[in-house]
Every structure is written in structure tokens, then in C-alpha cells.
């Protein structure tokens, strides 16, 4: 083993000095123009700036007409009631969404929504032509049959996702900031322009190619949220490999399971991560993981900190090797339905599911939702604080904003490091316009008091977003009143790893459309929700609750579960034939708005992280002292849900150790309870009874114990 330290260029910490100062200079990546129809507008930064100025109140087409500004969008108003927020002021529909000019008299947001559902093919065809750069146009808009689990969009078309996210913006505005990396160390943010990000991506793409990574391979990325991780994702997309980003908080075993399932031969990691001031030994975790991954042949190791790490024959010093690579990398021409990435998420069995997302449909849906749900406009700074290891980080940290030529913040730290003012300090420093976070963080910050928020200037904020779990009214109100100063609409966005992008959210809305706290409310374009009753029939009326399904396919949805289409069918397509079953329950109000009521399966939501109870049970059961276990969620006022294992109380520390080793720290049970028996006659553990054993309801505990005693004494 040799020790290796890379000091020349810490790519993770600062951009490489780029070779060229203007797009026409020799170092500028010059992919053939036919690969992207972009690049016709401006060649210089000045021209670019002029264009931006022009586009403030008029429609201005940048980059193949894909990035358009709507003059009406700035006019948000808050109603007298502090909890009711107005939608967009009524504006010319074609101004709001240029492609709708071809939709034949459709007007208003609700008119657009209706059209997008009733004339789904026309809607998506127009949007796909307008917003993506195609190498070859698609020949069929869709070929879907939910009852057979067949989902295909834009077939016949060829494109490259990295070209859509980078090159076409480099052609128009090379010096626009693509990434603002908010490093764990407060106040040391680093900005990367589109040109720098393209160069970095090309270097990684060439490096991967040189090391044999081919179209169709799957590269596992185990890195903190940082520019090199984004460049690695985009580099995979550039050369036609799929990526599999694994959250850097997962344990070696959880990582190994995902590497094996994805059959990755290449892993990209960093020497160490740093989060909340604490060092995370990511390379060491990878070393342990790959011991049980026979497929892994090479591990690229970038340097996030200055500490050298032990390198083996399998390891490659990433930055050092990148410096040897060209900044031009030929993009692969990908079919619309080729895999873009796998992302593992929890289901109701112990084995995580590798959801498969493909190229065109996913990118289009991420871009469109990013543009319209958040009312994102050219020049805005979009601050999604999710880790890239989750779908939110993929769709709204990376793909959506970059496809739109936006500026996106990569947040590496935690909401309370070094203090609970971290988010708002960042909002002020980076001048963030849209802030997108999780209710668990909002609930936590609320407890620290308003002064941490008020210390900082938040006047740049225009929209606040929430994702990952239901947002309770108290947190919603605090977010709206304190953080947003009653100026900014709060969009509670419901979606899933499976849906690829936001499906239900209050925005975009018509002028007089209200926003109700804690409700996701309105389906996005192309989304048709349905509620099902216990007999599997569609509930037609309002003021009703049921199982939430989506009644027709949309481009962003997952196509399958990697290597397990049968499971995809059983989980999503078969419960309600002809519909996509989300696993969530929902209530439809009298007005027809949707409110998500929570999971209907054995999946719990801890701090916005999805985790299957079976996954935790599998880990816990590996403890020799445990015969069997049942994990249940209970309501937790910060984490949303906590989880508790019901069995031998004295094992607490041991079990926590096992769960963090097998899965991740966040999955550790809060309580461990002892049961002599809590089973049905057929031997099933009675979760419904166990759920009563929460701190919320101590009386119920007594009641059950008493009942149990009585039963035994009979
Ligand atoms: C994006 C994301 C998906 C599950 C989903 C639901 C819950 C997400 C929510 C919400 C209520 C919201 N969820 N957003 N519940 N209101 N606005 O979180 O993806 O990690 O796959 O989790 O999260 O239960 O089914 P993912």
C-alpha cells in the first residue's frame, strides 16, 4: 500500500484554471454543432449580459429558444389572510409557456393543466421539442401501457444529457455561474461557471473512457455534495454510462449492496468527507465495501481534504489523472430510453430498489418542474439543500437547474453548523432566490428561535419549497412568516424517487389561486391523480381519502427496477391495474386539492429519508441475541418519524451499532421495547398494536399490557 497525497489541484476545493478565456480560443470544447442546435445567440460575455438585461420583462430566447422569461412572473401577491398566497397574476398563456402557442386556444394555468392531461402527447411533444436539444428528433412521443409496466417516451430520438446541461449554455453564456458550492466550512464557497463545469466534466469523461468505462456501464459515485460529484454524474451522461449515486452517509455494507446490485466495475469517491465539521472516512468505507464487490476493478479517489489516504493497486488519484485529460470530450449520442441513472430507495422489503431513470423524459420533466413549480427565471440562484445522494439532489440540485441554464447551489453542510443561522447566512451571501429544503430541518430550526433567521437579509428570496414529508402547519407558517417574511409563496412539493420530479405542488397556479398551508394541492402538467378505495375502485367525489395513484404515465417516471421488473410490476403497476400506485395515501379536499396523508406501506420517513421497516429489521435480526423484531414508525416532532424496535430492551447500544453498520446512522432506532408476544394467530407480528407503543400515547401502552395480561390469565 502506498500513501498518496495530491496537492497540485484539489479539484473538490477549487476550480481548475480553465484553458481558455473565450469560447473561440483553442481550449474551448468544440463538439460538432450538429450535436446541439444551441449556440447561435451570443459569443461574448458582454453580448450575453445584454441579452440577459433585455430579457427581464420581455420574451427572450436564449439557447435554441429553450430559456424564456415571462414578464408577468414577478408579480406575486399575498392576500390579506397571511396563510393564503396568490398565484401568478393572469397572463398571456403563451407568454407563460411559449410552446402553448400551438395548443389551440388554451388559456390559464388550469387550462394548460387540463390540456396537458387530455392531450398529453401534443403537450409533451411540444415541450420536448422546445426545451431539449436533440441530436436526432424523436419519432414517437410515447409508447406506454401502465398495466404491462411498459413506459417509453420520445423513442427514435437521440440526445446527450450533458450537452443539454452544459454545452448549449457554454455557447450562450460561458461565464454564467453554474454551481455555487457551499462547502462545509462556512464562508468558503466556490463558484464554477458553465465553462469550468463543462471542462471538468470533459476531463472526467475522458478519464473514465481511458479507463475502459463504456456506454451501458454503471459507475457508482460515493461522494459528498460537491462540484466533482456533479461533474462525475454529467461525465457518465456524456460518455453514455449510467451513474449510481450512493448517499455518503450509507455504511460500507449498504454501499456494497448497491454496488453489487448495480454491477459497477468503477467507483468514484473522495479521501474524506467533511460534514458539520466532522470528518467522514469515505475512502475507508469504500475499501471495506469493495471487499465484498467482486465486480469492482477501479476506484477513483479525489481529495476533499488534505489528509493522505492509503491507496491500493485498484485506486486511481483522480485529480492527478484528470489533469492529463483533454477538456474536450465527444458526447455519446444516446437513445431517449437508454438508462441515465439508477438510484436506490427503500421499499417495504429489506432489499433496496434500484429505480431506473432514462435520458430524455427524466431530463425534460426535471427541467419543466424546476422552471414552473419554483417560478425559476434566468439569473436566479436556486438553493436546493438536499444531498446529491437523494432524488431531490439529482432533480433539483443538478439536472433541472442545469438543463435550464440556471445557477444551482450545492450544499455540503448541515442546517445547524456552525450554528442554526447557516441556511440564512448562505441565503444572504449567495443571494439565493429559491430555497428548497425539508420539513425536518424547518422543524429543527424553528425550535432555535427567530433570531437566527432575522440576523440575515433574506430579501433575495422569492419562493420557498418543501419536500420529503408532510409539512405540519406550525412549520409551514414559520417558514412562510419568519423565513419568507410573508412575501414568498411556500410550495409543498409531493413526489418520489419513482416519479423523477414534482407531481403535486401549489404552483404553477392561476392568478387567484390560493395556497393552503401543508397541502401539495395541485397536479403538475401531465399529472392525473386518482384516489382508490379499499376495493380498488376510483373514488370520484371530493372530500375523500384513498390510495394515491397516478392515472397516466408522464415522461419523468421511473421505467423499472434494475434487474427486477417483476418487483416494479408488483409494487407500482399491479395493485391498481392501469394505474401507477405511489404507496402514499391522500385526501382530496372539497375544493379538489390534494393533501398527502402518509405511506400506506411499511416505509417510514426519518428526517425526510425514506427507510423500509424491513430493512432495519433485517439488520437488527442479525444480532445473535435477537430472535425476531418489528420496527414501527412513531411521530417525532423534528424527524417526522422515528423508529423503534420492539424486543429486548438491554440491547439498545448493540442494536444501534448494528443498524449504523448495516445501513446508516439515521436509521438507528430511538427506542427498543420488550415484548413477550404480540402476534396474530398465524404468527404475524401485530404492527398495528406495536404502533400504539409510542411516547405519544402512554395510556395505550398500559391498556395493551393490561389487555395482554387478561388474555394470558384466561
Ligand atoms: C422527493 C422524495 C418519497 C416519499 C413519498 C412520501 C414522502 C415526499 C412529500 C411527502 C408529504 C410531501 N413525501 N414529499 N409526503 N408531503 N410534500 O422525497 O422522494 O425519498 O423517494 O420519498 O416521501 O411518502 O412517497 P423519496
Amino acid at each position: 500500500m502506498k500513501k498518496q497525497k495530491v496537492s497540485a489541484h484539489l479539484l473538490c476545493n477549487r476550480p481548475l484554471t480553465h484553458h481558455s478565456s473565450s469560447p473561440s480560443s483553442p481550449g474551448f470544447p468544440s463538439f460538432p454543432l450538429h450535436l446541439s442546435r444551441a449556440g447561435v445567440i451570443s459569443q461574448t460575455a458582454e453580448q450575453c449580459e445584454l441579452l440577459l438585461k433585455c430579457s427581464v420583462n420581455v420574451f427572450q430566447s436564449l439557447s435554441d429558444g429553450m430559456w424564456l422569461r415571462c414578464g408577468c412572473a414577478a408579480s406575486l401577491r399575498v392576500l390579506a389572510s397571511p396563510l393564503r398566497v396568490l398565484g401568478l397574476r393572469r397572463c398571456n398563456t403563451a407568454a407563460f409557456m411559449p410552446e402553448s402557442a400551438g395548443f389551440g386556444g388554451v388559456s390559464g394555468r388550469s387550462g394548460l393543466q387540463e390540456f396537458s392531461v387530455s392531450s398529453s402527447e401534443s403537450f409533451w411533444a411540444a415541450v420536448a421539442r422546445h426545451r431539449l436539444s436533440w441530436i436526432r428528433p424523436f419519432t414517437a412521443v410515447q409508447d406506454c401501457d401502465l398495466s404491462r409496466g411498459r413506459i417509453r417516451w420520445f423513442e427514435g430520438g437521440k440526445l446527450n444529457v450533458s450537452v443539454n446541461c452544459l454545452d448549449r449554455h457554454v455557447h450562450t453564456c460561458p461565464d454564467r455561474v453554474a454551481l455555487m458550492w457551499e462547502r462545509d466550512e462556512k464562508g468558503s464557497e466556490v463558484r464554477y461557471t458553465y465553462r469550468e463545469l463543462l471542462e471538468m466534466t470533459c476531463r472526467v469523461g475522458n478519464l473514465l473512457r481511458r479507463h475502459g468505462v463504456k456506454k451501458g456501464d454503471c459507475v457508482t459515485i460515493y461522494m459528498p455534495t460537491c462540484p466533482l460529484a456533479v461533474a462525475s454524474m454529467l461525465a457518465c451522461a456524456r460518455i453514455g454510462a449510467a451513474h449510481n449515486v450512493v448517499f455518503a452517509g450509507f455504511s460500507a455494507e449498504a454501499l456494497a449492496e448497491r454496488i453489487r446490485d448495480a454491477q459497477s466495475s468503477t467507483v468514484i469517491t473522495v479521501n474524506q468527507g467533511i460534514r458539520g465539521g466532522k470528518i467522514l472516512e469515505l475512502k475507508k468505507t469504500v475499501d471495506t465495501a469493495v471487499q465484498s464487490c467482486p465486480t469492482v476493478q477501479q476506484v477513483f479517489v479525489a481529495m476533499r481534504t488534505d489528509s493522505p489516504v492509503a491507496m491500493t493497486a485498484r485506486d486511481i488519484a483522480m485529480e492527478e489523472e484528470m489533469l492529463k485529460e483533454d477538456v474536450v470530450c465527444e458526447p455519446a449520442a444516446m437513445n431517449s430510453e437508454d438508462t441515465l441513472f439508477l438510484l436506490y430507495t427503500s421499499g417495504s422489503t429489506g432489499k433496496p430498489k434500484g429505480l431506473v431513470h432514462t435520458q430524455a423524459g427524466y431530463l425534460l420533466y426535471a427541467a419543466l418542474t424546476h422552471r414552473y413549480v419554483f417560478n425559476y427565471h434566468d439569473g436566479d440562484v436556486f438553493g436546493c439543500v438536499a444531498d446529491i445522494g437523494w432524488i431531490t439532489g439529482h432533480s433539483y440540485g443538478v439536472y433541472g437547474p442545469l438543463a435550464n441554464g440556471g445557477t444551482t447551489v450545492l450544499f455540503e453542510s448541515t442546517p445547524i453548523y456552525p450554528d442554526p443561522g447557516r441556511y440564512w447566512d448562505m441565503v444572504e451571501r449567495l443571494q439565493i432566490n429559491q430555497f428548497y429544503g425539508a420539513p425536518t430541518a424547518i422543524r429543527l430550526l424553528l425550535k432555535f428561535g427567530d433570531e437566527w433567521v432575522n440576523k440575515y437579509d433574506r430579501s433575495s428570496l422569492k419562493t420557498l419549497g418543501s419536500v420529503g414529508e408532510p409539512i405540519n402547519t406550525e412549520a409551514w407558517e414559520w417558514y412562510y412568516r419568519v423565513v419568507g417574511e410573508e412575501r414568498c409563496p411556500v410550495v409543498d412539493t409531493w413526489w418520489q424517487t419513482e416519479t423523477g420530479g414534482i407531481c403535486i405542488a401549489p404552483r404553477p397556479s392561476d392568478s387567484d389561486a390560493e395556497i393552503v398551508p401543508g397541502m401539495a394541492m395541485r397536479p403538475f402538467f401531465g399529472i392525473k391523480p386518482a384516489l382508490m378505495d379499499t376495493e380498488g375502485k376510483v373514488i370520484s367525489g371530493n372530500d375523500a381519502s384513498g390510495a394515491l395513484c397516478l392515472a397516466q404515465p408522464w415522461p419523468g417516471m421511473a421505467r423499472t427496477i434494475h434487474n427486477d421488473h417483476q418487483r416494479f410490476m408488483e409494487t407500482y403497476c399491479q395493485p391498481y391495474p392501469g394505474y401507477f400506485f405511489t404507496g402514499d395515501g391522500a385526501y382530496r379536499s372539497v375544493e379538489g386539492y390534494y393533501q398527502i396523508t402518509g405511506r400506506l406501506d411499511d416505509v417510514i420517513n426519518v428526517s425526510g429519508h425514506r427507510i423500509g421497516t424491513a430493512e432495519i429489521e433485517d439488520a437488527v435480526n442479525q444480532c445473535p441475541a435477537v430472535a425476531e423484531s418489528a420496527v414501527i414508525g412513531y411521530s417525532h416532532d423534528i424527524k417526522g418519524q422515528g423508529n423503534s424496535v420492539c424486543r429486548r430492551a438491554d440491547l439498545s447500544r448493540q442494536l444501534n451499532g448494528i443498524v449504523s453498520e448495516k445501513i446508516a446512522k439515521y436509521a438507528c432506532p430511538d427506542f427498543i421495547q420488550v415484548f413477550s408476544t404480540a402476534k396474530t394467530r398465524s404468527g404475524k407480528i401485530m404492527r398495528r398494536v406495536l404502533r400504539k407503543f409510542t411516547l405519544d400515547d402512554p395510556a395505550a401502552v398500559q391498556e395493551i399490557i393490561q389487555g395482554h395480561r387478561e388474555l394470558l390469565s384466561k
Side-chain angles (χ1 to χ4, degrees):
M1 282 213 186
K2 59 184 192 300
K3 292 252 175 189
Q4 182 116 29
K5 184 177 173 181
V6 177
S7 55
H9 281 282
L10 301 177
L11 269 196
C12 270
N13 300 329
R14 69 183 86 94
L16 272 180
T17 36
H18 47 78
H19 286 208
S20 57
S21 58
S22 96
S24 52
S25 65
F28 182 72
S30 56
F31 62 89
L33 254 190
H34 69 269
L35 288 176
S36 157
R37 288 181 295 136
V40 287
I41 310 279
S42 73
Q43 289 293 308
T44 67
E46 288 78 4
Q47 282 170 329
C48 165
E49 198 181 310
L50 189 67
L51 272 175
L52 281 175
K53 281 183 185 146
C54 293
S55 72
V56 170
N57 282 308
V58 295
F59 295 104
Q60 180 61 63
S61 165
L62 290 178
S63 141
D64 202 14
M66 97 48 62
W67 189 240
L68 299 150
R69 176 167 285 272
C70 173
C72 60
S75 52
L76 303 170
R77 291 285 179 277
V78 179
L79 281 177
S81 159
L83 301 184
R84 304 243 148 169
V85 185
L86 273 183
L88 294 168
R89 181 184 286 171
R90 192 172 295 282
C91 64
N92 177 331
T93 305
F96 174 64
M97 183 181 270
E99 48 279 59
S100 72
F103 294 164
V106 171
S107 85
R109 182 266 169 200
S110 48
L112 262 179
Q113 211 283 334
E114 276 158 34
F115 180 84
S116 71
V117 169
S118 62
S119 305
S120 166
E121 289 213 7
S122 310
F123 178 85
W124 287 115
V127 175
R129 282 190 198 108
H130 188 78
R131 288 169 197 265
L132 296 181
S133 288
W134 294 89
I135 296 167
R136 193 172 82 191
F138 51 89
T139 48
V141 182
Q142 62 152 321
D143 175 10
C144 302
D145 180 353
L146 282 181
S147 62
R148 289 194 298 138
R150 179 185 173 85
I151 304 140
R152 295 187 185 164
W153 286 86
F154 311 120
E155 277 193 310
K158 283 190 185 287
L159 78 170
N160 185 281
V161 165
S162 81
V163 168
N164 275 273
C165 289
L166 299 172
D167 306 52
R168 58 179 178 165
H169 312 309
V170 171
H171 275 253
T172 55
C173 293
D175 298 317
R176 181 186 290 177
V177 174
L179 306 179
M180 287 188 179
W181 183 30
E182 175 72 4
R183 302 166 78 234
D184 192 56
E185 303 88 339
K186 181 170 138 174
S188 67
E189 72 270 10
V190 188
R191 289 171 169 79
Y192 285 71
T193 65
Y194 270 94
R195 180 182 15 225
E196 287 164 344
L197 182 57
L198 175 59
E199 287 185 1
M200 190 173 15
T201 300
C202 287
R203 286 179 193 270
V204 180
N206 288 329
L207 180 63
L208 293 175
R209 266 194 185 138
R210 179 155 63 86
H211 283 85
V213 178
K214 298 179 305 298
K215 217 172 179 174
D217 289 351
C218 180
V219 174
T220 293
I221 298 174
Y222 185 70
M223 297 172 99
T225 299
C226 66
L228 193 51
V230 174
S232 299
M233 293 164 76
L234 293 169
C236 289
R238 194 160 193 91
I239 66 170
H243 58 69
N244 164 36
V245 181
V246 178
F247 172 55
F250 275 122
S251 68
E253 280 202 33
L255 170 63
E257 188 179 12
R258 287 157 176 77
I259 294 174
R260 280 195 302 266
D261 194 82
Q263 296 144 298
S264 285
S265 55
T266 302
V267 176
I268 308 179
T269 192
V270 295
N271 62 335
Q272 295 180 317
I274 174 161
R275 199 146 182 270
K278 292 199 190 89
I279 294 292
L280 307 164
E281 298 291 350
L282 299 190
K283 165 68 164 68
K284 282 192 186 145
T285 308
V286 172
D287 286 344
T288 311
V290 298
Q291 280 171 16
S292 60
C293 299
T295 52
V296 173
Q297 284 163 7
Q298 52 192 356
V299 176
F300 291 94
V301 184
M303 299 296 285
R304 169 60 183 88
T305 67
D306 287 334
S307 304
V309 283
M311 300 285 275
T312 68
R314 185 183 47 221
D315 302 329
I316 300 160
M318 192 167 181
E319 289 100 334
E320 238 173 61
E321 293 302 310
M322 276 172 71
L323 287 171
K324 298 178 188 161
E325 298 295 339
D326 197 348
V327 293
V328 178
C329 174
E330 178 75 12
M334 302 301 289
N335 294 321
S336 296
E337 283 300 333
D338 286 338
T339 299
L340 177 61
F341 64 84
L342 308 185
L343 188 58
Y344 285 82
T345 190
S346 299
S348 49
T349 71
K351 193 174 174 332
K353 306 175 271 198
L355 288 164
V356 175
H357 282 282
T358 56
Q359 314 267 327
Y362 169 80
L363 187 68
L364 181 67
Y365 197 73
L368 199 73
T369 47
H370 171 253
R371 163 69 183 86
Y372 286 104
V373 172
F374 300 98
N375 196 22
Y376 184 87
H377 283 94
D378 234 357
D380 285 347
V381 177
F382 191 78
C384 168
V385 290
D387 192 281
I388 48 151
W390 310 113
I391 190 70
T392 308
H394 281 58
S395 300
Y396 302 106
V398 180
Y399 287 112
L402 295 182
N404 286 335
T407 297
T408 180
V409 174
L410 302 175
F411 183 69
E412 191 186 32
S413 194
T414 81
I416 50 168
Y417 180 76
D419 59 51
R422 180 61 187 261
Y423 278 167
W424 325 121
D425 168 70
M426 175 177 75
V427 165
E428 179 183 302
R429 241 182 316 111
L430 307 186
Q431 289 291 288
I432 290 173
N433 302 110
Q434 290 86 11
F435 181 88
Y436 193 29
T440 184
I442 302 302
R443 284 193 293 270
L444 176 68
L445 296 177
L446 179 158
K447 298 210 180 296
F448 285 96
D450 300 1
E451 58 276 16
W452 288 106
V453 186
N454 292 330
K455 261 174 86 168
Y456 301 99
D457 175 20
R458 282 120 39 237
S459 57
S460 60
L461 287 174
K462 295 193 282 191
T463 302
L464 298 172
S466 165
V467 62
E469 52 182 317
I471 179 162
N472 50 309
T473 313
E474 187 194 12
W476 192 99
E477 272 187 52
W478 187 80
Y479 204 23
Y480 176 67
R481 284 176 196 278
V482 180
V483 176
E485 301 172 286
E486 303 188 15
R487 275 184 303 106
C488 309
V490 172
V491 288
D492 173 9
T493 62
W494 174 85
W495 60 295
Q496 314 175 299
T497 306
E498 292 84 343
T499 69
I502 295 163
C503 288
I504 308 183
R507 288 292 166 85
S509 323
D510 267 339
S511 56
D512 48 359
E514 63 188 351
I515 293 182
V516 181
M519 265 197 163
M521 300 183 79
R522 303 179 177 90
F524 188 71
F525 301 129
I527 298 295
K528 187 178 174 190
L531 297 182
M532 301 295 182
D533 65 18
T534 45
E535 269 139 43
K537 298 216 173 60
V538 176
I539 302 171
S540 53
N542 285 351
D543 191 16
S545 296
L548 177 64
C549 291
L550 299 171
Q552 58 187 45
W554 65 100
M557 69 189 294
R559 303 306 195 242
T560 187
I561 292 172
H562 181 61
N563 280 341
D564 201 349
H565 193 63
Q566 188 52 34
R567 188 173 176 196
F568 183 82
M569 293 294 297
E570 284 164 11
T571 313
Y572 307 109
C573 302
Q574 284 165 356
Y576 303 95
Y579 293 81
F580 177 86
F581 175 48
T582 67
D584 281 319
Y587 165 71
R588 187 165 53 223
S589 72
V590 177
E591 299 86 359
Y593 301 144
Y594 289 89
Q595 178 167 36
I596 310 307
T597 47
R599 298 292 304 188
L600 298 173
D601 52 15
D602 287 320
V603 171
I604 58 177
N605 199 320
V606 182
S607 302
H609 301 326
R610 236 170 104 164
I611 180 97
T613 51
E615 247 172 290
I616 305 172
E617 287 162 8
D618 278 2
V620 164
N621 291 347
Q622 290 179 36
C623 174
V626 173
E628 57 188 343
S629 62
V631 172
I632 52 160
Y634 72 94
S635 114
H636 186 289
D637 63 355
I638 291 173
K639 296 199 281 188
Q641 275 182 307
N643 74 76
S644 57
V645 175
C646 303
R647 206 62 193 158
R648 298 272 308 273
D650 55 340
L651 295 178
S652 169
R653 202 174 307 128
Q654 207 180 333
L655 294 186
N656 277 333
I658 287 178
V659 175
S660 55
E661 186 192 310
K662 305 269 172 208
I663 309 172
K665 277 217 175 74
Y666 74 82
C668 287
D670 290 334
F671 301 101
I672 293 165
Q673 296 173 346
V674 189
F675 279 81
S676 51
T677 179
K679 288 196 172 183
T680 62
R681 275 166 200 249
S682 62
K684 290 203 178 84
I685 296 175
M686 291 191 289
R687 284 167 200 283
R688 257 178 310 135
V689 175
L690 299 183
R691 274 188 200 110
K692 291 245 173 214
F693 281 73
T694 73
L695 287 188
D696 291 348
D697 199 357
V701 178
Q702 283 313 315
E703 191 185 307
I704 292 171
I705 292 173
Q706 188 55 34
H708 190 64
R709 279 199 191 118
E710 282 166 18
L711 202 70
L712 291 178
S713 65
K714 274 184 189 162

